[in-house]
Coordinates of all heavy atoms in Angstrom, one line a residue:
M910 N -10.1 -4.1 -6.0 CA -9.7 -4.2 -4.6 C -10.3 -5.3 -3.9 O -11.5 -5.5 -3.9 CB -10.0 -2.9 -3.9 CG -9.6 -2.8 -2.5 SD -10.0 -1.2 -1.7 CE -9.7 -1.7 0.0
A911 N -9.5 -6.2 -3.3 CA -10.0 -7.4 -2.7 C -10.6 -7.0 -1.3 O -10.0 -6.3 -0.6 CB -8.9 -8.4 -2.5
G912 N -11.8 -7.6 -1.1 CA -12.4 -7.6 0.2 C -12.9 -6.3 0.7 O -12.6 -5.9 1.9
M913 N -13.5 -5.5 -0.1 CA -14.2 -4.4 0.5 C -15.4 -4.9 1.2 O -16.2 -5.6 0.6 CB -14.6 -3.3 -0.5 CG -15.0 -2.0 0.2 SD -15.1 -0.6 -0.8 CE -16.8 -0.6 -1.2
R914 N -15.5 -4.6 2.5 CA -16.5 -5.2 3.3 C -17.8 -4.5 3.4 O -18.9 -5.1 3.7 CB -15.9 -5.4 4.7 CG -14.7 -6.3 4.6 CD -14.0 -6.3 5.9 NE -13.0 -7.4 5.9 CZ -12.6 -8.1 6.9 NH1 -12.9 -7.7 8.1 NH2 -11.8 -9.1 6.8
I915 N -17.8 -3.2 3.1 CA -19.0 -2.4 3.2 C -19.8 -2.4 1.9 O -19.2 -2.3 0.8 CB -18.7 -1.0 3.6 CG1 -18.2 -1.1 5.1 CG2 -19.8 -0.1 3.5 CD1 -17.5 0.2 5.6
K916 N -21.1 -2.6 2.0 CA -21.9 -2.7 0.8 C -23.0 -1.7 0.8 O -23.4 -1.2 1.8 CB -22.5 -4.2 0.7 CG -21.4 -5.2 0.5 CD -22.1 -6.6 0.5 CE -21.1 -7.7 -0.1 NZ -19.8 -7.6 0.5
K917 N -23.6 -1.5 -0.4 CA -24.7 -0.7 -0.5 C -25.9 -1.1 0.4 O -26.1 -2.3 0.6 CB -25.3 -0.8 -2.0 CG -26.4 0.1 -2.3 CD -26.8 0.0 -3.7 CE -28.1 0.8 -4.0 NZ -28.6 0.6 -5.3
G918 N -26.4 -0.1 1.1 CA -27.5 -0.4 2.0 C -27.1 -0.5 3.5 O -27.9 -0.5 4.4
D919 N -25.7 -0.7 3.7 CA -25.2 -0.8 5.0 C -25.4 0.6 5.8 O -25.3 1.6 5.2 CB -23.7 -1.1 5.0 CG -23.5 -2.6 4.7 OD1 -24.4 -3.4 4.7 OD2 -22.3 -2.9 4.4
R920 N -25.6 0.5 7.1 CA -25.6 1.7 7.9 C -24.2 1.8 8.4 O -23.6 0.9 9.0 CB -26.6 1.6 9.0 CG -26.7 2.9 9.8 CD -28.1 3.0 10.5 NE -28.2 4.4 11.0 CZ -28.6 5.4 10.3 NH1 -29.0 5.3 9.1 NH2 -28.7 6.6 10.9
V921 N -23.6 3.0 8.3 CA -22.2 3.2 8.7 C -22.1 4.5 9.6 O -22.9 5.4 9.5 CB -21.2 3.3 7.5 CG1 -21.2 2.0 6.8 CG2 -21.6 4.4 6.6
R922 N -21.0 4.5 10.3 CA -20.7 5.7 11.1 C -19.3 6.2 10.6 O -18.4 5.4 10.3 CB -20.6 5.4 12.6 CG -20.2 6.7 13.4 CD -20.2 6.4 14.9 NE -21.5 6.1 15.4 CZ -21.8 5.8 16.7 NH1 -20.9 5.9 17.6 NH2 -23.0 5.5 17.1
V923 N -19.2 7.5 10.5 CA -18.0 8.2 10.0 C -17.0 8.3 11.1 O -17.4 8.7 12.2 CB -18.3 9.5 9.3 CG1 -17.0 10.2 8.8 CG2 -19.3 9.4 8.2
L924 N -15.8 7.9 10.9 CA -14.7 7.9 11.9 C -13.9 9.1 11.9 O -13.3 9.5 12.9 CB -13.9 6.6 11.8 CG -14.6 5.3 11.8 CD1 -13.6 4.2 11.5 CD2 -15.3 5.1 13.1
T925 N -13.7 9.8 10.8 CA -12.8 10.9 10.6 C -13.4 12.0 9.9 O -14.4 11.9 9.2 CB -11.5 10.4 9.9 OG1 -11.9 10.0 8.6 CG2 -10.8 9.3 10.7
G926 N -12.7 13.2 9.9 CA -13.1 14.3 9.1 C -14.2 15.1 9.7 O -14.6 14.9 10.8
K927 N -14.7 16.0 8.8 CA -15.7 17.0 9.3 C -17.0 16.3 9.7 O -17.8 16.9 10.4 CB -16.0 18.1 8.3 CG -16.6 17.6 7.0 CD -16.7 18.8 6.0 CE -17.1 18.3 4.6 NZ -18.5 18.1 4.3
D928 N -17.3 15.1 9.2 CA -18.5 14.4 9.4 C -18.4 13.3 10.5 O -19.2 12.5 10.6 CB -19.1 13.8 8.2 CG -19.6 14.9 7.2 OD1 -20.2 15.9 7.7 OD2 -19.5 14.8 6.0
R929 N -17.3 13.4 11.2 CA -17.0 12.4 12.2 C -18.2 12.2 13.2 O -18.7 13.2 13.7 CB -15.8 12.8 13.0 CG -15.3 11.8 14.0 CD -14.0 12.3 14.6 NE -13.7 11.5 15.8 CZ -12.6 11.7 16.6 NH1 -11.8 12.7 16.3 NH2 -12.4 10.9 17.6
G930 N -18.6 11.0 13.4 CA -19.7 10.7 14.3 C -21.0 10.6 13.6 O -22.0 10.1 14.2
K931 N -21.1 11.1 12.4 CA -22.4 11.0 11.7 C -22.7 9.6 11.2 O -21.7 8.8 10.9 CB -22.3 11.9 10.4 CG -23.1 13.2 10.5 CD -23.1 13.8 9.1 CE -23.4 15.3 9.2 NZ -23.4 16.0 7.9
E932 N -23.9 9.3 11.1 CA -24.3 8.0 10.6 C -25.2 8.2 9.4 O -25.9 9.1 9.2 CB -25.1 7.2 11.6 CG -24.2 6.7 12.7 CD -24.9 5.8 13.7 OE1 -26.1 5.4 13.4 OE2 -24.3 5.5 14.8
G933 N -25.1 7.2 8.4 CA -25.9 7.3 7.3 C -25.9 5.9 6.5 O -25.1 5.0 6.9
D934 N -26.7 5.9 5.5 CA -26.8 4.6 4.8 C -25.9 4.7 3.5 O -25.8 5.8 2.9 CB -28.3 4.4 4.3 CG -29.2 4.1 5.5 OD1 -28.7 3.5 6.4 OD2 -30.3 4.6 5.4
V935 N -25.3 3.6 3.2 CA -24.4 3.6 2.0 C -25.3 3.6 0.8 O -26.1 2.7 0.6 CB -23.5 2.4 2.0 CG1 -22.7 2.3 0.7 CG2 -22.5 2.4 3.2
M936 N -25.2 4.6 -0.1 CA -26.0 4.7 -1.3 C -25.3 4.0 -2.4 O -26.0 3.4 -3.3 CB -26.2 6.2 -1.7 CG -26.6 7.1 -0.5 SD -28.2 6.6 0.2 CE -29.3 7.1 -1.0
R937 N -24.0 4.1 -2.5 CA -23.3 3.4 -3.5 C -21.9 2.9 -3.0 O -21.4 3.6 -2.1 CB -23.0 4.3 -4.7 CG -24.2 4.6 -5.6 CD -23.8 5.4 -6.8 NE -23.1 4.6 -7.8 CZ -22.6 5.0 -8.9 NH1 -22.7 6.3 -9.2 NH2 -22.0 4.2 -9.8
A938 N -21.4 1.8 -3.5 CA -20.1 1.3 -3.1 C -19.3 1.2 -4.4 O -19.8 0.7 -5.4 CB -20.2 0.0 -2.4
F939 N -18.0 1.6 -4.3 CA -17.1 1.4 -5.4 C -15.9 0.6 -5.1 O -14.9 1.0 -4.6 CB -16.6 2.8 -5.8 CG -17.7 3.8 -6.1 CD1 -18.1 4.7 -5.1 CD2 -18.3 3.9 -7.4 CE1 -19.1 5.6 -5.4 CE2 -19.3 4.8 -7.7 CZ -19.7 5.7 -6.7
P940 N -16.1 -0.7 -5.2 CA -15.0 -1.7 -4.8 C -13.7 -1.4 -5.5 O -12.6 -1.7 -4.9 CB -15.6 -3.1 -5.2 CG -17.1 -2.9 -5.3 CD -17.2 -1.4 -5.8
E941 N -13.7 -0.9 -6.7 CA -12.5 -0.6 -7.5 C -11.6 0.4 -6.8 O -10.4 0.3 -6.8 CB -12.8 -0.1 -8.9 CG -14.0 -0.7 -9.6 CD -15.3 -0.1 -9.2 OE1 -15.4 1.1 -9.2 OE2 -16.2 -0.9 -8.8
T942 N -12.3 1.4 -6.2 CA -11.5 2.5 -5.5 C -11.5 2.4 -4.0 O -10.9 3.1 -3.3 CB -12.0 3.8 -6.0 OG1 -13.4 3.9 -5.7 CG2 -11.8 4.1 -7.4
G943 N -12.4 1.4 -3.5 CA -12.5 1.3 -2.0 C -13.3 2.4 -1.4 O -13.1 2.7 -0.3
K944 N -14.1 3.1 -2.2 CA -14.9 4.2 -1.7 C -16.4 3.9 -1.6 O -16.9 3.1 -2.3 CB -14.6 5.5 -2.6 CG -13.2 5.9 -2.4 CD -12.9 7.2 -3.1 CE -11.5 7.8 -2.7 NZ -11.2 9.0 -3.3
V945 N -17.0 4.7 -0.8 CA -18.5 4.6 -0.7 C -19.1 6.0 -0.7 O -18.5 7.0 -0.3 CB -18.9 3.8 0.6 CG1 -18.5 2.4 0.5 CG2 -18.3 4.5 1.8
I946 N -20.3 6.1 -1.1 CA -21.1 7.3 -0.9 C -22.1 7.0 0.2 O -22.9 6.1 0.1 CB -21.8 7.7 -2.2 CG1 -20.7 8.2 -3.3 CG2 -22.8 8.8 -2.0 CD1 -21.3 8.6 -4.6
V947 N -22.1 7.9 1.2 CA -23.0 7.7 2.3 C -24.0 8.9 2.3 O -23.5 10.1 2.2 CB -22.2 7.7 3.6 CG1 -23.1 7.4 4.8 CG2 -21.1 6.6 3.6
D948 N -25.2 8.6 2.5 CA -26.3 9.6 2.5 C -26.0 10.7 3.5 O -25.9 10.4 4.7 CB -27.6 8.9 2.8 CG -28.8 9.8 2.6 OD1 -28.7 10.7 1.7 OD2 -29.8 9.6 3.2
G949 N -25.9 11.9 3.0 CA -25.7 13.0 4.0 C -24.3 13.2 4.5 O -24.1 14.1 5.3
V950 N -23.4 12.5 4.0 CA -22.0 12.6 4.5 C -21.1 13.1 3.4 O -21.2 12.7 2.2 CB -21.5 11.2 5.0 CG1 -20.0 11.2 5.2 CG2 -22.2 10.8 6.3
N951 N -20.1 14.0 3.8 CA -19.2 14.6 2.8 C -19.9 15.3 1.7 O -19.6 15.2 0.6 CB -18.2 13.5 2.3 CG -17.0 14.1 1.7 OD1 -16.6 15.2 2.1 ND2 -16.3 13.4 0.8
V952 N -20.8 16.1 2.2 CA -21.7 16.9 1.2 C -20.9 18.1 0.7 O -20.3 18.8 1.4 CB -23.0 17.4 1.9 CG1 -23.8 18.2 0.9 CG2 -23.8 16.2 2.4
A953 N -20.9 18.2 -0.6 CA -20.3 19.3 -1.3 C -21.4 20.2 -2.0 O -22.4 19.6 -2.4 CB -19.3 18.9 -2.3
K954 N -21.2 21.5 -1.9 CA -22.1 22.4 -2.6 C -21.7 22.4 -4.1 O -20.5 22.8 -4.4 CB -22.1 23.8 -2.0 CG -22.4 23.8 -0.5 CD -23.9 23.7 -0.3 CE -24.2 23.8 1.2 NZ -25.6 23.4 1.5
K955 N -22.6 22.1 -4.9 CA -22.3 22.2 -6.4 C -23.1 23.2 -7.0 O -24.3 23.3 -6.8 CB -22.6 20.8 -7.0 CG -21.7 19.7 -6.6 CD -20.4 19.7 -7.5 CE -19.5 18.6 -7.0 NZ -18.2 18.6 -7.7
H956 N -22.5 24.0 -7.8 CA -23.2 25.0 -8.6 C -23.8 24.4 -9.8 O -23.1 23.7 -10.5 CB -22.3 26.2 -9.0 CG -21.9 27.0 -7.8 ND1 -22.6 28.1 -7.4 CD2 -20.9 26.9 -7.0 CE1 -22.0 28.6 -6.3 NE2 -21.0 27.9 -6.0
Q957 N -25.1 24.6 -10.0 CA -25.7 24.0 -11.1 C -26.2 25.0 -12.1 O -26.8 26.0 -11.7 CB -26.9 23.1 -10.7 CG -27.6 22.4 -11.8 CD -28.5 21.2 -11.2 OE1 -27.9 20.2 -10.9 NE2 -29.7 21.5 -11.0
K958 N -25.9 24.8 -13.4 CA -26.3 25.8 -14.4 C -27.8 25.7 -14.6 O -28.4 24.6 -14.5 CB -25.5 25.5 -15.7 CG -24.1 25.9 -15.6 CD -23.5 26.1 -17.0 CE -22.1 26.5 -17.0 NZ -21.2 25.6 -17.7
P959 N -28.4 26.8 -15.0 CA -29.8 26.7 -15.3 C -30.1 25.7 -16.4 O -29.3 25.6 -17.4 CB -30.2 28.1 -15.8 CG -29.1 29.0 -15.3 CD -27.8 28.1 -15.2
T960 N -31.1 25.0 -16.3 CA -31.4 24.0 -17.4 C -32.7 24.6 -18.2 O -33.4 25.4 -17.6 CB -31.7 22.6 -16.9 OG1 -32.9 22.7 -16.1 CG2 -30.6 22.1 -16.1
R961 N -32.8 24.1 -19.4 CA -34.0 24.5 -20.1 C -35.3 24.1 -19.5 O -36.3 24.8 -19.5 CB -33.9 23.9 -21.5 CG -34.6 24.7 -22.6 CD -34.3 24.1 -24.0 NE -33.1 24.8 -24.5 CZ -33.1 25.9 -25.2 NH1 -34.3 26.6 -25.4 NH2 -32.0 26.4 -25.7
A962 N -35.2 23.0 -18.8 CA -36.4 22.4 -18.2 C -36.9 23.3 -17.0 O -38.1 23.6 -16.9 CB -36.2 21.0 -17.7
T963 N -36.0 23.7 -16.1 CA -36.4 24.4 -14.9 C -36.2 25.9 -15.0 O -36.8 26.6 -14.2 CB -35.6 23.9 -13.7 OG1 -34.2 24.2 -14.0 CG2 -35.7 22.4 -13.5
M964 N -35.4 26.3 -16.0 CA -35.0 27.7 -16.2 C -34.4 28.3 -14.9 O -34.4 29.5 -14.7 CB -36.3 28.6 -16.5 CG -36.8 28.2 -17.9 SD -35.7 28.5 -19.3 CE -35.7 30.3 -19.4
Q965 N -33.9 27.5 -14.0 CA -33.2 28.1 -12.9 C -32.0 27.2 -12.5 O -32.0 26.0 -12.6 CB -34.1 28.3 -11.7 CG -34.8 27.0 -11.2 CD -35.7 27.3 -10.1 OE1 -36.0 28.4 -9.8 NE2 -36.2 26.2 -9.4
G966 N -31.0 27.9 -12.1 CA -29.8 27.2 -11.6 C -29.8 27.2 -10.1 O -30.8 27.4 -9.5
G967 N -28.6 27.1 -9.5 CA -28.6 27.2 -8.1 C -27.5 26.3 -7.5 O -26.6 25.8 -8.2
I968 N -27.6 26.2 -6.2 CA -26.6 25.4 -5.6 C -27.2 24.1 -5.1 O -28.3 24.2 -4.4 CB -25.9 26.1 -4.4 CG1 -25.2 27.4 -5.0 CG2 -25.0 25.3 -3.6 CD1 -24.7 28.3 -3.9
I969 N -26.7 23.0 -5.4 CA -27.3 21.7 -4.9 C -26.3 21.0 -4.0 O -25.1 21.2 -4.2 CB -27.7 20.8 -6.1 CG1 -26.5 20.5 -7.0 CG2 -28.8 21.4 -6.9 CD1 -26.7 19.3 -7.9
D970 N -26.8 20.2 -3.2 CA -25.9 19.4 -2.3 C -25.6 18.1 -3.0 O -26.6 17.4 -3.5 CB -26.6 19.1 -1.0 CG -26.7 20.4 -0.1 OD1 -26.0 21.3 -0.4 OD2 -27.6 20.4 0.8
K971 N -24.4 17.7 -3.0 CA -24.0 16.4 -3.6 C -23.1 15.6 -2.6 O -22.2 16.2 -2.1 CB -23.2 16.7 -4.9 CG -23.0 15.5 -5.7 CD -22.5 16.0 -7.1 CE -22.0 14.9 -8.1 NZ -22.3 13.5 -7.8
D972 N -23.5 14.4 -2.4 CA -22.7 13.5 -1.5 C -21.5 13.0 -2.2 O -21.6 12.4 -3.3 CB -23.6 12.3 -1.0 CG -24.8 12.7 -0.2 OD1 -24.8 13.8 0.4 OD2 -25.8 12.0 -0.2
M973 N -20.3 13.3 -1.7 CA -19.1 12.9 -2.3 C -18.6 11.6 -1.7 O -18.8 11.4 -0.5 CB -18.0 14.0 -2.2 CG -18.5 15.3 -2.8 SD -18.8 15.2 -4.6 CE -17.2 15.0 -5.2
P974 N -17.9 10.8 -2.5 CA -17.4 9.5 -1.9 C -16.4 9.7 -0.8 O -15.6 10.7 -0.7 CB -16.7 8.9 -3.1 CG -17.1 9.6 -4.3 CD -17.5 11.0 -3.9
V975 N -16.4 8.8 0.2 CA -15.4 8.8 1.2 C -14.8 7.4 1.2 O -15.4 6.4 0.7 CB -16.0 9.0 2.6 CG1 -16.6 10.4 2.7 CG2 -17.1 8.0 3.0
H976 N -13.5 7.3 1.7 CA -12.9 6.0 1.7 C -13.5 5.1 2.7 O -13.8 5.5 3.8 CB -11.4 6.2 2.0 CG -10.6 5.0 1.4 ND1 -10.3 3.9 2.2 CD2 -10.1 4.8 0.2 CE1 -9.7 3.0 1.4 NE2 -9.5 3.5 0.2
A977 N -13.7 3.8 2.3 CA -14.4 2.9 3.2 C -13.6 2.7 4.5 O -14.3 2.3 5.5 CB -14.5 1.5 2.4
S978 N -12.3 3.0 4.5 CA -11.6 2.8 5.8 C -11.9 3.9 6.8 O -11.6 3.8 7.9 CB -10.1 2.8 5.5 OG -9.7 4.0 4.9
N979 N -12.6 4.9 6.3 CA -13.0 6.0 7.2 C -14.4 5.9 7.8 O -14.8 6.8 8.5 CB -12.9 7.4 6.4 CG -11.5 7.7 6.0 OD1 -10.6 7.3 6.7 ND2 -11.4 8.5 5.0
V980 N -15.0 4.8 7.5 CA -16.3 4.5 8.1 C -16.3 3.1 8.7 O -15.5 2.3 8.3 CB -17.5 4.6 7.0 CG1 -17.5 6.0 6.4 CG2 -17.4 3.5 6.0
M981 N -17.3 2.9 9.6 CA -17.4 1.6 10.2 C -18.9 1.2 10.2 O -19.7 2.1 10.4 CB -16.9 1.8 11.7 CG -16.5 0.5 12.3 SD -15.7 0.8 13.9 CE -14.3 -0.2 13.8
I982 N -19.1 0.0 9.9 CA -20.5 -0.5 9.8 C -21.1 -0.4 11.2 O -20.5 -0.7 12.2 CB -20.6 -1.9 9.2 CG1 -22.0 -2.3 8.8 CG2 -20.0 -2.9 10.2 CD1 -22.1 -3.4 7.9
V983 N -22.4 -0.1 11.2 CA -23.2 -0.1 12.5 C -24.1 -1.3 12.5 O -24.9 -1.5 11.6 CB -24.1 1.2 12.6 CG1 -24.9 1.1 13.9 CG2 -23.2 2.4 12.6
C984 N -23.9 -2.1 13.5 CA -24.6 -3.4 13.6 C -26.1 -3.1 13.9 O -26.4 -2.3 14.8 CB -24.0 -4.2 14.8 SG -24.9 -5.7 15.1
S985 N -26.9 -3.8 13.1 CA -28.4 -3.6 13.3 C -28.9 -4.3 14.5 O -30.0 -4.0 15.0 CB -29.1 -4.1 12.0 OG -28.8 -5.4 11.8
S986 N -28.1 -5.2 15.0 CA -28.5 -6.0 16.2 C -28.2 -5.3 17.5 O -29.0 -5.0 18.4 CB -27.9 -7.4 16.2 OG -28.4 -8.1 15.1
C987 N -26.9 -4.9 17.7 CA -26.5 -4.3 18.9 C -26.3 -2.7 18.8 O -26.1 -2.0 19.7 CB -25.1 -4.9 19.4 SG -23.7 -4.6 18.4
D988 N -26.5 -2.2 17.5 CA -26.6 -0.8 17.3 C -25.2 -0.1 17.6 O -25.2 1.1 18.0 CB -27.7 -0.2 18.1 CG -28.2 1.1 17.5 OD1 -28.2 1.2 16.2 OD2 -28.6 2.0 18.2
K989 N -24.1 -0.8 17.5 CA -22.8 -0.2 17.7 C -22.0 -0.3 16.5 O -22.1 -1.3 15.7 CB -22.1 -1.0 18.8 CG -22.7 -0.8 20.2 CD -22.0 -1.6 21.2 CE -22.7 -1.5 22.6 NZ -22.7 -2.7 23.4
P990 N -21.1 0.6 16.3 CA -20.1 0.5 15.2 C -19.2 -0.7 15.5 O -18.7 -0.9 16.6 CB -19.3 1.8 15.2 CG -20.0 2.7 16.2 CD -20.8 1.8 17.1
T991 N -18.9 -1.5 14.5 CA -18.2 -2.7 14.7 C -17.3 -3.1 13.6 O -17.5 -2.6 12.4 CB -19.1 -3.9 15.0 OG1 -18.4 -5.1 15.3 CG2 -20.0 -4.1 13.8
R992 N -16.3 -3.9 13.8 CA -15.5 -4.5 12.8 C -16.4 -5.6 12.2 O -17.2 -6.2 12.9 CB -14.2 -5.1 13.3 CG -13.2 -4.0 13.7 CD -11.9 -4.6 14.2 NE -11.0 -3.5 14.5 CZ -10.2 -2.9 13.6 NH1 -10.3 -3.3 12.3 NH2 -9.4 -1.9 13.9
I993 N -16.1 -6.0 11.0 CA -16.8 -7.1 10.4 C -16.0 -8.4 10.4 O -14.9 -8.4 10.1 CB -17.1 -6.7 8.9 CG1 -18.0 -5.4 8.8 CG2 -17.8 -7.9 8.2 CD1 -18.1 -4.9 7.4
G994 N -16.7 -9.4 10.9 CA -16.1 -10.7 10.9 C -16.8 -11.6 9.9 O -17.8 -11.1 9.3
Y995 N -16.3 -12.7 9.6 CA -16.9 -13.6 8.7 C -17.1 -15.0 9.3 O -16.3 -15.5 10.1 CB -16.1 -13.8 7.4 CG -16.1 -12.5 6.6 CD1 -15.2 -11.5 6.7 CD2 -17.1 -12.3 5.6 CE1 -15.2 -10.4 6.0 CE2 -17.2 -11.2 4.9 CZ -16.2 -10.2 5.0 OH -16.3 -9.1 4.3
R996 N -18.3 -15.6 8.9 CA -18.6 -16.9 9.4 C -18.9 -17.8 8.1 O -19.5 -17.3 7.2 CB -19.7 -16.9 10.3 CG -20.0 -18.3 11.0 CD -20.8 -18.1 12.2 NE -22.1 -17.4 12.1 CZ -22.6 -16.6 13.0 NH1 -22.1 -16.6 14.2 NH2 -23.8 -16.0 12.8
G997 N -18.4 -19.0 8.1 CA -18.7 -19.9 7.0 C -17.6 -19.8 6.0 O -16.5 -19.2 6.2
E998 N -17.8 -20.5 4.9 CA -16.8 -20.7 3.8 C -17.4 -20.4 2.5 O -18.5 -20.6 2.2 CB -16.3 -22.2 3.8 CG -15.5 -22.6 5.0 CD -14.2 -21.9 5.1 OE1 -13.6 -21.7 4.0 OE2 -13.7 -21.6 6.2
G999 N -16.5 -19.9 1.6 CA -16.8 -19.6 0.2 C -18.1 -18.8 0.0 O -18.2 -17.8 0.6
A1000 N -19.0 -19.3 -0.8 CA -20.2 -18.5 -1.2 C -21.1 -18.4 0.0 O -22.0 -17.5 0.1 CB -20.9 -19.2 -2.4
A1001 N -21.0 -19.3 1.0 CA -21.9 -19.3 2.1 C -21.4 -18.4 3.2 O -22.0 -18.3 4.3 CB -22.0 -20.7 2.6
K1002 N -20.3 -17.7 2.9 CA -19.7 -16.8 3.9 C -20.6 -15.7 4.3 O -21.1 -15.0 3.4 CB -18.4 -16.3 3.4 CG -17.4 -15.9 4.4 CD -16.0 -15.9 3.9 CE -15.7 -14.8 2.9 NZ -14.3 -14.6 2.6
V1003 N -20.9 -15.4 5.5 CA -21.7 -14.3 5.9 C -20.9 -13.4 6.8 O -20.0 -13.8 7.5 CB -23.0 -14.8 6.6 CG1 -23.9 -15.6 5.7 CG2 -22.6 -15.6 7.9
R1004 N -21.3 -12.1 6.8 CA -20.7 -11.1 7.6 C -21.3 -11.1 9.0 O -22.5 -11.2 9.1 CB -20.9 -9.7 7.0 CG -20.2 -9.6 5.6 CD -20.3 -8.2 5.1 NE -21.7 -7.7 5.1 CZ -22.1 -6.5 4.9 NH1 -21.2 -5.6 4.6 NH2 -23.3 -6.1 4.9
V1005 N -20.5 -11.1 10.0 CA -21.0 -11.0 11.3 C -20.4 -9.9 12.1 O -19.3 -9.4 11.8 CB -20.7 -12.4 12.1 CG1 -21.5 -13.5 11.4 CG2 -19.3 -12.7 12.2
C1006 N -21.2 -9.4 13.1 CA -20.7 -8.4 14.0 C -19.7 -8.9 15.0 O -19.9 -10.0 15.6 CB -21.9 -7.8 14.8 SG -21.5 -6.7 16.1
K1007 N -18.5 -8.2 15.1 CA -17.5 -8.7 16.0 C -17.8 -8.5 17.4 O -17.2 -9.0 18.3 CB -16.2 -8.0 15.7 CG -15.5 -8.5 14.4 CD -14.4 -9.4 14.7 CE -13.5 -9.6 13.5 NZ -12.4 -10.6 13.7
K1008 N -18.8 -7.6 17.7 CA -19.2 -7.3 19.0 C -20.3 -8.3 19.6 O -20.1 -8.8 20.7 CB -19.7 -5.9 19.1 CG -18.5 -4.9 19.0 CD -18.8 -3.5 19.5 CE -17.5 -2.7 19.6 NZ -17.7 -1.3 19.2
C1009 N -21.3 -8.5 18.8 CA -22.4 -9.4 19.3 C -22.5 -10.7 18.6 O -23.2 -11.6 19.1 CB -23.7 -8.6 19.3 SG -24.4 -8.4 17.7
G1010 N -21.8 -10.9 17.5 CA -21.8 -12.1 16.8 C -23.0 -12.4 15.9 O -23.0 -13.4 15.2
K1011 N -23.9 -11.4 15.8 CA -25.1 -11.6 14.9 C -24.7 -11.3 13.5 O -23.7 -10.6 13.2 CB -26.2 -10.6 15.4 CG -26.7 -10.9 16.8 CD -28.0 -11.7 16.8 CE -28.4 -12.2 18.1 NZ -28.7 -11.0 19.0
N1012 N -25.5 -11.8 12.6 CA -25.3 -11.5 11.2 C -25.5 -10.0 10.9 O -26.4 -9.4 11.4 CB -26.2 -12.3 10.3 CG -25.9 -13.8 10.3 OD1 -25.0 -14.2 11.0 ND2 -26.6 -14.5 9.5
L1013 N -24.6 -9.5 10.0 CA -24.8 -8.1 9.6 C -25.6 -8.0 8.3 O -25.5 -8.9 7.5 CB -23.4 -7.5 9.4 CG -22.6 -7.2 10.6 CD1 -21.2 -6.8 10.3 CD2 -23.3 -6.0 11.4
Ligands
LIG1804 ZN1 -23.7 -6.4 16.9

């Protein structure tokens, strides 16, 4: 998928769904599918079988991927969710905040 703008380590805000308004850090990005895993967002309860090591099972929280179009990057300079702009050309291209113009 061309041009996924959100990358691992970005701080994002969720725009839709049950976690709307939540913010978290991107733990993983999947450019092939256009999805991201955001810390603490879209958490599913997973049943885990007991393992030989711990001898206990239980329910664990697992962050499920959300589509990148459902989140917006939060600018570290102006602290607002923003669209991503670009400045420069080719390899020197940098992401900038559309609101304050600072580098993201
Ligand atoms: Zn900004």
Side-chain angles (χ1 to χ4, degrees):
M910 178 176 169
M913 193 163 93
R914 299 172 163 205
I915 290 168
K916 294 180 165 48
K917 184 178 171 183
D919 285 345
R920 184 155 191 86
V921 295
R922 181 176 295 183
V923 181
L924 304 175
T925 59
K927 67 183 167 82
D928 291 324
R929 184 175 170 181
K931 254 191 202 175
E932 288 184 12
D934 296 323
V935 175
M936 310 303 284
R937 287 187 73 183
F939 305 96
E941 320 80 52
T942 54
K944 291 186 171 181
V945 292
I946 290 178
V947 184
D948 189 27
V950 166
N951 201 22
V952 176
K954 302 280 183 194
K955 291 273 178 186
H956 291 269
Q957 184 159 280
K958 289 202 176 120
T960 63
R961 202 170 274 276
T963 61
M964 293 301 282
Q965 58 182 11
I968 297 172
I969 56 160
D970 291 342
K971 191 168 172 11
D972 299 334
M973 302 301 288
V975 295
H976 203 270
S978 63
N979 294 334
V980 302
M981 203 171 226
I982 193 164
V983 176
C984 175
S985 55
S986 298
C987 66
D988 206 34
K989 288 177 186 148
T991 181
R992 289 181 179 279
I993 298 171
Y995 287 93
R996 186 159 55 209
E998 291 291 327
K1002 206 158 71 168
V1003 294
R1004 299 184 307 169
V1005 296
C1006 171
K1007 285 260 197 184
K1008 288 197 169 145
C1009 70
K1011 299 262 173 60
N1012 290 6
L1013 286 168

